Amino acid sequence: VDRMRRKPLMIGTDLGRAGLIAGVPILAWTGTLAMPVLYVVALVVGCLTSVFSLAYHAYLPTIVDSEVLLAGNSRLQATESVSQVAGPGVAGALIQLLRAPFALLVDAVSFLFSATMLASIRQHEPAPERAPAADGERWLRGVRRDIRSGLSFTFGHPVLRPLAAADATFNFFAQLMLTLFVLYAVRVSHMSASQIGVVFAAFGVGGVVAATALGRVVARLGYGRLLLAGYVVGALAITGLPFVTGSALVRTVLYVLLFFIAGCGIIALNIVTMTLRQVATPNAVQGRVTAAYGFLIGALIPVAAVVAGVLGGQVGLRATLFIAAAGVPASVLWLVFSPARRLRTAEELQPEA
């Protein structure tokens, strides 16, 4: 991502995903679709999605001034939250209408639409700054150097380091909770599939509200206080899940309220963190730092899923939810004892020329 212009890279990954996903219904129509094919498609599409995501977040700071970067991230997050609310419902309707493999044709067309929209951007993107290769340096050694540079920048930055630690802690315990929540909602709370769907949609609605109001809230509180508020609100909402009792209807209403509050806090937190990281990072290493940060905050998520399954089987679903609820607030401590909480504006992190 740091070695190429980001816009053509995103267009290429969109076209690649469109072609791969369109191949699934074609194979289904010919009767040759098999599980190994789906495994390969899922793997390659996942790789292309990772590249697109890194390029996407590294591209925005090259075409938007730092003063309006928060507004740009907020608008992009708002559209993403809307898609999270509408996407599952649209998918269900398409699967009923077309059957699952052929509903993927609509998904393929959406990637073509994305590529078309990206191609319409006229803003000039500067050429990447290539790091000089040492004499005789092998390609793999260069990749290792690039990975190390992204991790070193993140670990060495006084604000990004505690933010990454806080996000990693939050994600680990939140994943413990979310891995078992659906099972808990069905078996213990006796909720229907539609009720669970409404609960998860509430998170997206909260995200839309947060993204829409974020600019005014940041102007009043500043970045540091908003970070702290986002962690506290998100932690309190998730911590409250195992304490919900009552009938299935009452539980549904309370879960909707908690997921809405969690969406407001977590999405606001994500937008602010992303903006600070983009402002603090030189353009030449945006992709590497984004990748390193994403790895640091997400590497423990699959571990948390496994731990949740083991704990759920050993001590029970509700007890595991309480364990997760006890751990989520620990993420706030990383921020309390970091310089991030004193930030007023993002420009305070802007690297010197």
Side-chain angles (χ1 to χ4, degrees):
V1 168
D2 288 336
R3 298 181 182 193
M4 301 176 61
R5 280 189 167 92
R6 281 90 184 231
K7 188 175 87 169
L9 188 60
M10 287 189 289
I11 293 173
T13 55
D14 270 342
L15 296 178
R17 288 183 290 181
L20 286 165
I21 292 174
V24 173
I26 293 173
L27 292 176
W29 181 64
T30 60
T32 56
L33 183 61
M35 285 305 299
V37 175
L38 290 178
Y39 294 146
V40 172
V41 170
L43 174 65
V44 179
V45 168
C47 292
L48 292 176
T49 299
S50 295
V51 174
F52 180 93
S53 179
L54 293 177
Y56 178 83
H57 292 121
Y59 178 57
L60 185 64
T62 67
I63 60 173
V64 173
D65 293 335
S66 61
E67 292 80 8
V68 293
L69 194 54
L70 179 73
N73 282 323
S74 297
R75 292 173 184 175
L76 293 176
Q77 184 62 61
T79 59
E80 186 173 336
S81 296
V82 169
S83 70
Q84 289 172 349
V85 174
V90 174
L94 288 173
I95 289 171
Q96 286 188 335
L97 181 65
L98 303 174
R99 292 193 302 133
F102 300 100
L104 287 175
L105 284 174
V106 179
D107 195 22
V109 171
S110 74
F111 286 112
L112 294 177
F113 179 77
S114 172
T116 302
M117 291 296 97
L118 287 169
S120 68
I121 298 175
R122 300 304 177 199
Q123 184 79 16
H124 173 71
E125 180 185 0
E129 301 175 22
R130 297 182 180 275
D135 292 341
E137 181 180 65
R138 296 174 180 263
W139 178 83
L140 182 58
R141 191 181 305 164
V143 171
R144 289 174 179 170
R145 182 198 63 202
D146 289 346
I147 293 173
R148 188 168 56 251
S149 67
L151 290 170
S152 297
F153 185 91
T154 304
F155 277 119
H157 198 281
V159 170
L160 296 187
R161 182 177 61 252
L163 284 181
D167 281 351
T169 304
F170 190 99
N171 288 344
F172 178 83
F173 288 104
Q175 187 63 40
L176 280 180
M177 182 83 69
L178 295 177
T179 299
L180 299 179
F181 176 75
V182 173
L183 194 61
Y184 178 80
V186 172
R187 291 187 178 180
V188 179
S189 300
H190 307 293
M191 294 167 59
S192 67
S194 60
Q195 288 173 324
I196 295 173
V198 171
V199 169
F200 279 101
F203 184 90
V205 175
V208 174
V209 173
T212 303
L214 192 60
R216 295 188 295 273
V217 178
V218 168
R220 177 171 297 182
L221 296 181
Y223 278 77
R225 290 181 180 177
L226 185 56
L227 278 172
L228 187 59
Y231 273 113
V232 170
V233 169
L236 288 176
I238 292 180
T239 300
L241 293 178
F243 292 94
V244 171
T245 59
S247 65
L249 179 59
V250 171
R251 288 173 185 254
T252 300
V253 172
L254 293 176
Y255 285 144
V256 165
L257 178 61
L258 288 173
F259 268 73
F260 173 81
I261 295 172
C264 290
I266 293 172
I267 296 303
L269 183 62
N270 289 345
I271 295 172
V272 171
T273 302
M274 185 190 311
T275 302
L276 291 176
R277 187 180 69 245
Q278 290 169 332
V279 171
T281 306
N283 180 55
V285 293
Q286 281 281 355
R288 280 165 279 181
V289 172
T290 302
Y293 193 92
F295 171 76
L296 292 172
I297 69 173
L300 292 178
I301 288 179
V303 177
V306 174
V307 172
V310 173
L311 286 176
Q314 295 296 320
V315 303
L317 298 178
R318 196 156 190 250
T320 305
L321 295 185
F322 275 112
I323 293 173
V328 169
S331 60
V332 181
L333 297 177
W334 291 103
L335 187 63
V336 170
F337 297 105
S338 80
R341 67 184 179 88
R342 294 190 293 270
L343 287 174
R344 182 65 192 174
T345 66
E347 285 69 28
E348 296 174 39
L349 295 183
Q350 203 157 21
E352 296 181 1

Coordinates of all heavy atoms in Angstrom, one line a residue, residues 15-104:
L15 N -12.2 -4.7 -8.5 CA -12.4 -5.5 -9.7 C -12.1 -7.0 -9.4 O -12.8 -7.9 -9.9 CB -11.6 -5.0 -10.9 CG -11.9 -3.6 -11.4 CD1 -10.9 -3.2 -12.5 CD2 -13.3 -3.5 -11.8
G16 N -11.1 -7.2 -8.7 CA -10.7 -8.6 -8.3 C -11.8 -9.3 -7.5 O -12.2 -10.4 -7.8
R17 N -12.3 -8.6 -6.5 CA -13.4 -9.1 -5.7 C -14.7 -9.3 -6.5 O -15.4 -10.3 -6.3 CB -13.7 -8.2 -4.5 CG -12.5 -8.3 -3.5 CD -12.8 -7.4 -2.2 NE -12.8 -6.0 -2.5 CZ -13.1 -5.1 -1.6 NH1 -13.3 -5.4 -0.3 NH2 -13.0 -3.8 -1.9
A18 N -15.0 -8.4 -7.4 CA -16.2 -8.5 -8.2 C -16.1 -9.8 -9.1 O -17.0 -10.6 -9.2 CB -16.4 -7.3 -9.1
G19 N -14.9 -10.0 -9.7 CA -14.8 -11.2 -10.5 C -14.8 -12.5 -9.8 O -15.5 -13.5 -10.2
L20 N -14.2 -12.6 -8.6 CA -14.2 -13.8 -7.8 C -15.6 -14.1 -7.3 O -16.1 -15.2 -7.4 CB -13.3 -13.6 -6.6 CG -11.8 -13.7 -6.9 CD1 -10.9 -13.2 -5.8 CD2 -11.4 -15.1 -7.2
I21 N -16.3 -13.1 -6.8 CA -17.6 -13.3 -6.2 C -18.6 -13.7 -7.3 O -19.5 -14.5 -7.1 CB -18.1 -12.1 -5.4 CG1 -17.2 -12.0 -4.2 CG2 -19.6 -12.2 -5.0 CD1 -17.5 -10.7 -3.4
A22 N -18.5 -13.0 -8.5 CA -19.4 -13.4 -9.6 C -19.2 -14.8 -10.1 O -20.1 -15.4 -10.7 CB -19.2 -12.4 -10.8
G23 N -18.0 -15.3 -9.9 CA -17.7 -16.7 -10.3 C -18.5 -17.7 -9.5 O -18.8 -18.8 -10.0
V24 N -18.9 -17.4 -8.3 CA -19.6 -18.4 -7.4 C -21.0 -18.7 -8.0 O -21.3 -19.9 -8.2 CB -19.8 -17.9 -6.0 CG1 -20.7 -18.8 -5.2 CG2 -18.4 -17.7 -5.4
P25 N -21.9 -17.8 -8.4 CA -23.1 -18.1 -9.0 C -23.0 -18.8 -10.4 O -23.8 -19.6 -10.8 CB -23.9 -16.8 -9.1 CG -22.9 -15.8 -9.0 CD -21.8 -16.3 -8.1
I26 N -21.9 -18.4 -11.1 CA -21.7 -19.0 -12.4 C -21.4 -20.5 -12.2 O -22.0 -21.4 -12.9 CB -20.5 -18.4 -13.1 CG1 -20.9 -16.9 -13.5 CG2 -20.1 -19.1 -14.4 CD1 -19.8 -16.1 -14.1
L27 N -20.5 -20.9 -11.2 CA -20.2 -22.3 -11.0 C -21.5 -23.0 -10.4 O -21.7 -24.2 -10.7 CB -19.1 -22.4 -10.0 CG -17.7 -21.9 -10.5 CD1 -16.7 -22.0 -9.3 CD2 -17.3 -22.8 -11.6
A28 N -22.3 -22.3 -9.6 CA -23.5 -22.9 -9.1 C -24.5 -23.2 -10.2 O -25.1 -24.2 -10.2 CB -24.2 -22.0 -8.1
W29 N -24.5 -22.3 -11.2 CA -25.4 -22.5 -12.4 C -25.0 -23.7 -13.2 O -25.9 -24.4 -13.7 CB -25.5 -21.2 -13.2 CG -26.4 -21.3 -14.4 CD1 -27.7 -21.4 -14.4 CD2 -26.0 -21.2 -15.7 NE1 -28.2 -21.5 -15.7 CE2 -27.2 -21.3 -16.5 CE3 -24.8 -21.1 -16.4 CZ2 -27.1 -21.3 -17.9 CZ3 -24.7 -21.0 -17.8 CH2 -25.9 -21.1 -18.5
T30 N -23.7 -23.9 -13.3 CA -23.2 -25.0 -14.1 C -23.1 -26.3 -13.3 O -22.8 -27.4 -13.8 CB -21.8 -24.7 -14.7 OG1 -20.9 -24.4 -13.6 CG2 -21.8 -23.5 -15.6
G31 N -23.4 -26.2 -12.0 CA -23.4 -27.4 -11.2 C -22.1 -27.9 -10.7 O -21.9 -29.0 -10.3
T32 N -21.1 -27.0 -10.8 CA -19.7 -27.4 -10.4 C -19.2 -26.7 -9.2 O -18.0 -26.8 -8.9 CB -18.7 -27.0 -11.6 OG1 -18.8 -25.6 -11.9 CG2 -19.1 -27.9 -12.8
L33 N -20.1 -26.0 -8.4 CA -19.7 -25.3 -7.2 C -19.4 -26.3 -6.1 O -20.2 -27.2 -5.9 CB -20.7 -24.3 -6.8 CG -20.4 -23.5 -5.6 CD1 -19.2 -22.6 -5.8 CD2 -21.6 -22.6 -5.2
A34 N -18.3 -26.2 -5.5 CA -17.9 -27.1 -4.4 C -17.3 -26.3 -3.2 O -16.8 -25.2 -3.4 CB -16.9 -28.2 -4.9
M35 N -17.3 -26.9 -2.0 CA -16.7 -26.3 -0.9 C -15.3 -25.8 -1.0 O -14.9 -24.7 -0.6 CB -16.9 -27.1 0.4 CG -18.3 -27.2 0.9 SD -19.1 -25.6 1.3 CE -17.9 -24.9 2.5
P36 N -14.4 -26.6 -1.6 CA -13.0 -26.1 -1.7 C -12.9 -24.8 -2.5 O -12.1 -24.0 -2.3 CB -12.3 -27.3 -2.5 CG -13.1 -28.5 -2.0 CD -14.5 -28.1 -1.9
V37 N -13.8 -24.7 -3.5 CA -13.8 -23.4 -4.3 C -14.2 -22.3 -3.4 O -13.6 -21.2 -3.5 CB -14.8 -23.6 -5.5 CG1 -15.0 -22.2 -6.2 CG2 -14.4 -24.7 -6.4
L38 N -15.3 -22.5 -2.6 CA -15.7 -21.4 -1.7 C -14.6 -21.0 -0.7 O -14.4 -19.9 -0.3 CB -16.9 -21.8 -0.9 CG -18.2 -22.0 -1.7 CD1 -19.4 -22.4 -0.9 CD2 -18.6 -20.6 -2.4
Y39 N -13.8 -22.0 -0.2 CA -12.7 -21.7 0.7 C -11.7 -20.8 0.0 O -11.2 -19.9 0.6 CB -12.0 -23.0 1.1 CG -12.9 -23.9 2.0 CD1 -12.7 -25.3 1.9 CD2 -13.8 -23.4 2.9 CE1 -13.5 -26.2 2.7 CE2 -14.5 -24.3 3.7 CZ -14.4 -25.6 3.6 OH -15.2 -26.5 4.4
V40 N -11.3 -21.1 -1.2 CA -10.4 -20.4 -2.0 C -10.9 -18.9 -2.2 O -10.2 -17.9 -2.0 CB -10.0 -21.0 -3.3 CG1 -9.1 -20.1 -4.1 CG2 -9.3 -22.4 -3.0
V41 N -12.2 -18.9 -2.6 CA -12.8 -17.5 -2.9 C -12.8 -16.7 -1.6 O -12.4 -15.5 -1.6 CB -14.2 -17.7 -3.5 CG1 -14.9 -16.3 -3.5 CG2 -14.1 -18.3 -4.9
A42 N -13.2 -17.3 -0.5 CA -13.2 -16.6 0.8 C -11.8 -16.1 1.2 O -11.7 -15.0 1.6 CB -13.8 -17.4 1.9
L43 N -10.8 -16.9 1.0 CA -9.4 -16.6 1.3 C -8.9 -15.4 0.5 O -8.4 -14.4 1.0 CB -8.5 -17.8 1.2 CG -7.0 -17.5 1.4 CD1 -6.8 -17.1 2.9 CD2 -6.2 -18.7 1.1
V44 N -9.1 -15.5 -0.8 CA -8.6 -14.5 -1.7 C -9.3 -13.2 -1.5 O -8.8 -12.1 -1.5 CB -8.6 -15.0 -3.2 CG1 -8.0 -13.9 -4.1 CG2 -7.7 -16.2 -3.3
V45 N -10.7 -13.3 -1.4 CA -11.5 -12.1 -1.2 C -11.1 -11.4 0.1 O -11.0 -10.2 0.2 CB -13.0 -12.4 -1.3 CG1 -13.8 -11.2 -0.7 CG2 -13.4 -12.8 -2.7
G46 N -10.8 -12.2 1.1 CA -10.4 -11.7 2.4 C -9.1 -10.9 2.3 O -8.9 -9.8 2.9
C47 N -8.1 -11.5 1.5 CA -6.8 -10.8 1.3 C -7.0 -9.5 0.5 O -6.4 -8.5 0.9 CB -5.9 -11.7 0.5 SG -5.3 -13.2 1.4
L48 N -7.8 -9.5 -0.5 CA -8.1 -8.3 -1.3 C -8.8 -7.2 -0.4 O -8.5 -6.0 -0.5 CB -8.9 -8.6 -2.5 CG -8.2 -9.5 -3.6 CD1 -9.2 -9.8 -4.7 CD2 -7.0 -8.7 -4.2
T49 N -9.7 -7.7 0.5 CA -10.4 -6.8 1.4 C -9.4 -6.1 2.3 O -9.5 -4.9 2.6 CB -11.5 -7.5 2.1 OG1 -12.4 -8.0 1.2 CG2 -12.2 -6.6 3.1
S50 N -8.4 -6.9 2.8 CA -7.4 -6.3 3.7 C -6.6 -5.2 3.0 O -6.4 -4.2 3.6 CB -6.5 -7.4 4.2 OG -7.2 -8.3 5.1
V51 N -6.2 -5.5 1.8 CA -5.5 -4.5 1.0 C -6.3 -3.3 0.8 O -5.8 -2.1 0.9 CB -5.0 -5.2 -0.3 CG1 -4.3 -4.1 -1.2 CG2 -4.0 -6.3 -0.1
F52 N -7.6 -3.5 0.4 CA -8.4 -2.3 0.1 C -8.6 -1.5 1.4 O -8.5 -0.3 1.3 CB -9.8 -2.8 -0.3 CG -10.8 -1.7 -0.6 CD1 -10.9 -1.2 -1.9 CD2 -11.6 -1.2 0.4 CE1 -11.8 -0.2 -2.2 CE2 -12.5 -0.1 0.1 CZ -12.6 0.4 -1.1
S53 N -8.8 -2.2 2.5 CA -9.0 -1.4 3.8 C -7.8 -0.6 4.1 O -7.9 0.6 4.5 CB -9.4 -2.4 4.9 OG -9.6 -1.7 6.1
L54 N -6.6 -1.2 4.0 CA -5.4 -0.4 4.3 C -5.2 0.8 3.3 O -4.9 1.9 3.8 CB -4.2 -1.3 4.2 CG -4.1 -2.4 5.2 CD1 -2.9 -3.3 5.0 CD2 -4.0 -1.8 6.6
A55 N -5.5 0.5 2.1 CA -5.3 1.6 1.1 C -6.4 2.7 1.3 O -6.1 3.9 1.1 CB -5.4 1.0 -0.3
Y56 N -7.6 2.3 1.7 CA -8.7 3.2 1.9 C -8.4 4.2 3.0 O -8.6 5.4 2.9 CB -9.9 2.3 2.3 CG -11.2 2.9 2.6 CD1 -12.1 3.3 1.6 CD2 -11.6 3.1 3.9 CE1 -13.3 3.9 1.9 CE2 -12.8 3.7 4.3 CZ -13.7 4.1 3.3 OH -14.9 4.6 3.6
H57 N -7.8 3.7 4.1 CA -7.5 4.5 5.3 C -6.3 5.4 5.0 O -6.1 6.4 5.6 CB -7.4 3.7 6.5 CG -8.7 3.1 7.0 ND1 -8.9 1.8 7.1 CD2 -9.9 3.7 7.3 CE1 -10.1 1.5 7.6 NE2 -10.7 2.7 7.7
A58 N -5.4 4.8 4.2 CA -4.1 5.6 3.9 C -4.4 6.6 2.8 O -3.6 7.6 2.7 CB -3.0 4.6 3.5
Y59 N -5.4 6.5 2.0 CA -5.7 7.3 0.8 C -6.3 8.7 1.3 O -5.9 9.7 0.8 CB -6.6 6.6 -0.1 CG -7.0 7.4 -1.4 CD1 -6.0 8.0 -2.2 CD2 -8.3 7.6 -1.7 CE1 -6.4 8.7 -3.3 CE2 -8.7 8.3 -2.8 CZ -7.7 8.9 -3.6 OH -8.1 9.6 -4.7
L60 N -7.2 8.6 2.2 CA -8.0 9.8 2.6 C -7.1 10.9 3.1 O -7.3 12.1 2.6 CB -9.0 9.4 3.7 CG -9.9 10.6 4.2 CD1 -10.8 11.0 3.0 CD2 -10.8 10.2 5.4
P61 N -6.0 10.7 3.9 CA -5.2 11.9 4.3 C -4.4 12.5 3.2 O -4.0 13.6 3.3 CB -4.2 11.3 5.3 CG -4.9 10.0 5.8 CD -5.7 9.5 4.6
T62 N -4.3 11.8 2.0 CA -3.6 12.4 0.9 C -4.5 13.4 0.1 O -3.9 14.1 -0.7 CB -3.0 11.3 0.0 OG1 -4.1 10.6 -0.7 CG2 -2.2 10.3 0.7
I63 N -5.8 13.3 0.2 CA -6.7 14.1 -0.6 C -7.5 15.1 0.3 O -8.3 15.9 -0.2 CB -7.6 13.3 -1.5 CG1 -8.5 12.3 -0.6 CG2 -6.8 12.5 -2.5 CD1 -9.5 11.6 -1.4
V64 N -7.4 15.0 1.6 CA -8.2 15.8 2.5 C -7.2 16.4 3.5 O -6.3 15.8 4.1 CB -9.2 14.9 3.3 CG1 -9.9 15.8 4.4 CG2 -10.2 14.4 2.3
D65 N -7.4 17.7 3.8 CA -6.5 18.4 4.7 C -6.8 17.9 6.2 O -7.9 17.5 6.5 CB -6.8 19.9 4.7 CG -6.3 20.5 3.4 OD1 -5.4 19.9 2.8 OD2 -6.8 21.6 2.9
S66 N -5.8 18.0 7.0 CA -6.0 17.5 8.4 C -7.1 18.2 9.1 O -7.7 17.6 10.0 CB -4.7 17.6 9.1 OG -4.3 19.0 9.2
E67 N -7.4 19.5 8.8 CA -8.4 20.2 9.5 C -9.8 19.6 9.3 O -10.7 19.8 10.1 CB -8.4 21.7 9.0 CG -7.2 22.5 9.4 CD -6.0 22.2 8.5 OE1 -6.2 21.5 7.5 OE2 -4.9 22.7 8.8
V68 N -10.0 19.0 8.2 CA -11.3 18.4 7.9 C -11.3 16.9 7.8 O -12.2 16.2 7.4 CB -11.9 18.9 6.5 CG1 -12.2 20.4 6.7 CG2 -10.9 18.7 5.4
L69 N -10.2 16.3 8.3 CA -10.1 14.8 8.3 C -11.1 14.2 9.2 O -11.7 13.1 8.8 CB -8.6 14.4 8.7 CG -8.2 13.0 8.4 CD1 -8.3 12.7 7.0 CD2 -6.8 12.8 8.9
L70 N -11.4 14.7 10.3 CA -12.4 14.2 11.2 C -13.8 14.1 10.5 O -14.5 13.1 10.6 CB -12.5 15.0 12.5 CG -13.5 14.5 13.5 CD1 -13.1 13.1 14.1 CD2 -13.8 15.5 14.6
A71 N -14.1 15.2 9.8 CA -15.4 15.3 9.1 C -15.4 14.2 8.0 O -16.5 13.6 7.8 CB -15.6 16.7 8.5
G72 N -14.3 14.0 7.3 CA -14.3 13.0 6.3 C -14.5 11.6 6.8 O -15.3 10.8 6.3
N73 N -13.7 11.3 7.9 CA -13.9 10.0 8.6 C -15.3 9.8 9.1 O -15.8 8.7 9.1 CB -12.9 9.9 9.7 CG -11.5 9.5 9.2 OD1 -11.3 8.8 8.2 ND2 -10.4 10.1 9.8
S74 N -15.9 10.9 9.6 CA -17.2 10.7 10.2 C -18.3 10.4 9.1 O -19.1 9.6 9.3 CB -17.6 12.1 10.9 OG -16.8 12.3 12.0
R75 N -18.1 11.1 8.0 CA -19.1 10.8 6.9 C -18.9 9.4 6.3 O -19.9 8.7 6.0 CB -18.9 11.8 5.8 CG -19.3 13.2 6.2 CD -19.0 14.3 5.1 NE -19.3 15.6 5.6 CZ -19.0 16.7 5.0 NH1 -18.4 16.7 3.8 NH2 -19.4 17.9 5.5
L76 N -17.6 8.9 6.2 CA -17.4 7.6 5.7 C -17.9 6.6 6.7 O -18.5 5.5 6.3 CB -15.9 7.4 5.5 CG -15.3 8.2 4.3 CD1 -13.8 8.0 4.3 CD2 -15.9 7.8 3.0
Q77 N -17.7 6.8 8.0 CA -18.2 5.9 9.0 C -19.7 5.9 9.1 O -20.4 4.9 9.3 CB -17.7 6.3 10.4 CG -18.1 5.3 11.5 CD -17.5 3.9 11.3 OE1 -16.3 3.7 11.2 NE2 -18.4 3.0 11.2
A78 N -20.4 7.0 8.8 CA -21.8 7.1 8.8 C -22.4 6.2 7.7 O -23.4 5.5 7.9 CB -22.3 8.6 8.6
T79 N -21.8 6.3 6.5 CA -22.3 5.5 5.4 C -22.1 4.0 5.7 O -22.9 3.1 5.4 CB -21.6 5.8 4.1 OG1 -20.2 5.7 4.2 CG2 -21.9 7.3 3.7
E80 N -20.9 3.7 6.4 CA -20.7 2.3 6.7 C -21.7 1.8 7.8 O -22.1 0.6 7.7 CB -19.2 2.2 7.3 CG -18.8 0.7 7.6 CD -17.3 0.6 7.9 OE1 -16.6 1.5 7.6 OE2 -17.0 -0.4 8.6
S81 N -22.0 2.6 8.7 CA -23.0 2.2 9.7 C -24.4 2.0 9.1 O -25.1 1.1 9.5 CB -23.1 3.3 10.8 OG -21.8 3.4 11.5
V82 N -24.7 2.9 8.2 CA -26.0 2.7 7.5 C -26.0 1.3 6.8 O -27.0 0.6 6.8 CB -26.3 3.8 6.5 CG1 -27.4 3.5 5.6 CG2 -26.5 5.1 7.2
S83 N -24.9 1.0 6.1 CA -24.9 -0.3 5.4 C -24.9 -1.4 6.4 O -25.5 -2.5 6.1 CB -23.6 -0.4 4.6 OG -22.4 -0.5 5.4
Q84 N -24.4 -1.3 7.6 CA -24.5 -2.3 8.6 C -25.9 -2.5 9.1 O -26.3 -3.7 9.4 CB -23.6 -2.0 9.8 CG -22.1 -2.1 9.5 CD -21.2 -1.6 10.6 OE1 -21.7 -1.0 11.6 NE2 -19.9 -1.9 10.6
V85 N -26.7 -1.5 9.1 CA -28.1 -1.6 9.5 C -28.9 -2.2 8.3 O -29.7 -3.1 8.5 CB -28.7 -0.2 9.8 CG1 -30.2 -0.3 10.1 CG2 -28.0 0.4 11.0
A86 N -28.7 -1.7 7.1 CA -29.6 -2.1 6.0 C -29.1 -3.4 5.3 O -29.9 -4.2 4.8 CB -29.6 -1.0 4.9
G87 N -27.8 -3.7 5.4 CA -27.2 -4.8 4.7 C -27.8 -6.2 5.0 O -28.2 -6.9 4.1
P88 N -27.9 -6.6 6.3 CA -28.4 -7.9 6.6 C -29.9 -8.1 6.1 O -30.2 -9.1 5.6 CB -28.3 -8.0 8.1 CG -27.2 -7.1 8.4 CD -27.3 -5.9 7.4
G89 N -30.7 -7.0 6.2 CA -32.1 -7.1 5.7 C -32.2 -7.3 4.2 O -32.9 -8.1 3.7
V90 N -31.4 -6.5 3.5 CA -31.3 -6.6 2.1 C -30.8 -8.0 1.6 O -31.4 -8.6 0.7 CB -30.5 -5.5 1.5 CG1 -30.3 -5.7 0.0 CG2 -31.1 -4.1 1.8
A91 N -29.8 -8.5 2.3 CA -29.3 -9.8 2.0 C -30.3 -10.9 2.2 O -30.5 -11.8 1.3 CB -28.0 -10.1 2.9
G92 N -31.1 -10.8 3.3 CA -32.1 -11.8 3.5 C -33.1 -11.8 2.4 O -33.6 -12.9 2.0
A93 N -33.6 -10.6 2.0 CA -34.6 -10.5 1.0 C -34.0 -11.0 -0.4 O -34.8 -11.8 -1.1 CB -35.0 -9.0 0.8
L94 N -32.8 -10.7 -0.7 CA -32.2 -11.2 -1.9 C -32.0 -12.7 -1.9 O -32.3 -13.4 -3.0 CB -30.8 -10.5 -2.2 CG -30.9 -9.1 -2.5 CD1 -29.5 -8.5 -2.6 CD2 -31.6 -8.9 -3.9
I95 N -31.7 -13.3 -0.8 CA -31.5 -14.7 -0.7 C -32.8 -15.4 -0.9 O -32.9 -16.5 -1.6 CB -30.9 -15.1 0.6 CG1 -29.4 -14.7 0.7 CG2 -31.0 -16.6 0.9 CD1 -28.7 -14.8 2.0
Q96 N -33.9 -14.9 -0.3 CA -35.2 -15.5 -0.5 C -35.7 -15.3 -2.0 O -36.3 -16.2 -2.5 CB -36.2 -14.8 0.4 CG -36.1 -15.2 1.9 CD -37.2 -14.7 2.7 OE1 -37.8 -13.7 2.4 NE2 -37.5 -15.4 3.8
L97 N -35.3 -14.2 -2.6 CA -35.8 -14.0 -4.0 C -35.0 -14.7 -5.0 O -35.5 -15.3 -6.0 CB -35.7 -12.5 -4.2 CG -36.2 -12.0 -5.6 CD1 -37.7 -12.3 -5.8 CD2 -35.9 -10.5 -5.8
L98 N -33.6 -14.8 -4.8 CA -32.8 -15.3 -5.9 C -32.1 -16.6 -5.5 O -31.5 -17.2 -6.4 CB -31.7 -14.2 -6.2 CG -32.2 -12.9 -6.7 CD1 -31.0 -11.9 -6.8 CD2 -32.9 -13.0 -8.0
R99 N -32.1 -17.0 -4.2 CA -31.3 -18.0 -3.7 C -29.9 -17.6 -3.4 O -29.4 -16.7 -4.1 CB -31.3 -19.3 -4.5 CG -32.7 -20.0 -4.5 CD -32.6 -21.4 -5.1 NE -32.0 -21.4 -6.4 CZ -31.1 -22.3 -6.8 NH1 -30.6 -23.2 -5.9 NH2 -30.6 -22.3 -8.0
A100 N -29.2 -18.2 -2.4 CA -28.0 -17.6 -1.9 C -26.9 -17.4 -3.0 O -26.3 -16.3 -3.0 CB -27.5 -18.5 -0.8
P101 N -26.6 -18.4 -3.8 CA -25.4 -18.2 -4.7 C -25.7 -17.0 -5.7 O -24.8 -16.2 -6.0 CB -25.3 -19.5 -5.5 CG -26.0 -20.5 -4.6 CD -27.1 -19.8 -3.9
F102 N -26.9 -16.9 -6.2 CA -27.2 -15.9 -7.2 C -27.4 -14.5 -6.6 O -27.3 -13.5 -7.2 CB -28.5 -16.3 -8.0 CG -28.3 -17.6 -8.7 CD1 -28.8 -18.8 -8.1 CD2 -27.5 -17.7 -9.8 CE1 -28.6 -20.0 -8.8 CE2 -27.3 -18.9 -10.5 CZ -27.9 -20.1 -9.9
A103 N -27.7 -14.4 -5.2 CA -27.7 -13.1 -4.6 C -26.4 -12.5 -4.6 O -26.2 -11.3 -4.5 CB -28.3 -13.3 -3.1
L104 N -25.3 -13.3 -4.7 CA -23.9 -12.8 -4.7 C -23.7 -12.0 -5.9 O -22.7 -11.2 -6.0 CB -22.9 -14.0 -4.6 CG -22.8 -14.6 -3.2 CD1 -21.9 -15.8 -3.3 CD2 -22.3 -13.7 -2.2

